[in-house]
Amino acid sequence: MSPSGSSRHTGTRPRGSRVGRALASAALALVPLAAVPAAPQVAHADTAGALAACRRSESADFSIGDFRVYGNGGGGIPQGSNPPNLLQDGDVFLLLSSSYYKVKFDSWPWGPSYPPDGNGVPAPSTGWPYPGSLEYSAILRFNNDPGGWVGPIHQATAFGGCTVWSGPPVRLLFGVNDPNPGDNSGYWSFGFYLYRASTH
């Protein structure tokens, strides 16, 4: 997996905003990671505290209120050409997507624009960068420095609930499921919130 990136910020999740309403509708259920499962037993004694803080919408240890996944290039958390690992074993994170921001696909004025889940159609097995994932959607993969890719490919919108990370330290890399992203424009916006097991 290639590196991802973003600047370090601390703060609270906005309440009463579009992101806040999305958080409420997500019901804050624990979302297990396929191939990197959140086991019934917590990875650290303090994971339970981090999970509780996330579910109560407390101030995150690290947050980005408007992280942009660009239609012609994706993006990463943290930012940079070779950023450090961010998520640690036992940490809890939340990734809230906004349906307001869209990516326009192709350079023609009448070309379609889609939210982060694309057109809702699974991509065929050939000709697409992420077969089986939704066409024209935001994709999330996890990467360990220096070990490489960790776990399977995910829809970026799959992490709208408080999720326990169980696995090696990783950074987050976002892509676009489009055979020709170079002619795209626009971006998708996400709120990213990290609750460290080591501080709860």
Side-chain angles (χ1 to χ4, degrees):
M1 188 186 238
S2 321
S4 336
S6 130
S7 305
R8 180 173 179 97
H9 303 286
T10 57
T12 59
R13 299 201 300 247
R15 297 177 184 269
S17 66
R18 184 181 306 277
V19 171
R21 290 192 299 277
L23 176 60
S25 65
L28 297 178
L30 175 63
V31 179
L33 287 170
V36 191
Q41 71 280 6
V42 294
H44 293 285
D46 296 329
T47 296
L51 182 59
C54 179
R55 289 176 168 169
R56 290 193 298 262
S57 300
E58 292 181 5
S59 177
D61 297 304
F62 176 98
S63 67
I64 307 171
D66 179 23
F67 170 69
R68 298 179 179 186
V69 177
Y70 289 91
N72 61 2
I77 301 174
Q79 292 172 348
S81 60
N82 187 28
N85 297 314
L86 179 65
L87 283 177
Q88 304 292 321
D89 189 35
D91 286 349
V92 176
F93 73 100
L94 183 66
L95 187 66
L96 298 177
S97 64
S98 167
S99 60
Y100 178 78
Y101 298 94
K102 300 180 190 275
V103 169
K104 182 179 175 303
F105 291 86
D106 81 40
S107 57
W108 297 100
W110 52 83
S113 296
Y114 295 114
D117 273 334
N119 65 4
V121 177
S125 59
T126 58
W128 290 79
Y130 305 103
S133 296
L134 300 178
E135 295 177 348
Y136 308 112
S137 66
I139 300 296
L140 172 58
R141 299 189 71 186
F142 298 94
N143 177 263
N144 169 262
D145 179 23
W149 300 110
V150 176
I153 295 164
H154 299 276
Q155 296 292 156
T157 53
F159 301 99
C162 296
T163 304
V164 175
W165 176 255
S166 181
V170 291
R171 47 213 179 168
L172 292 75
L173 179 69
F174 295 81
V176 181
N177 199 12
D178 179 10
N180 183 28
D183 61 0
N184 298 343
S185 60
Y187 61 87
W188 295 300
S189 178
F190 290 84
F192 176 77
Y193 306 93
L194 169 60
Y195 297 83
R196 295 203 177 279
S198 60
T199 61
H200 290 275

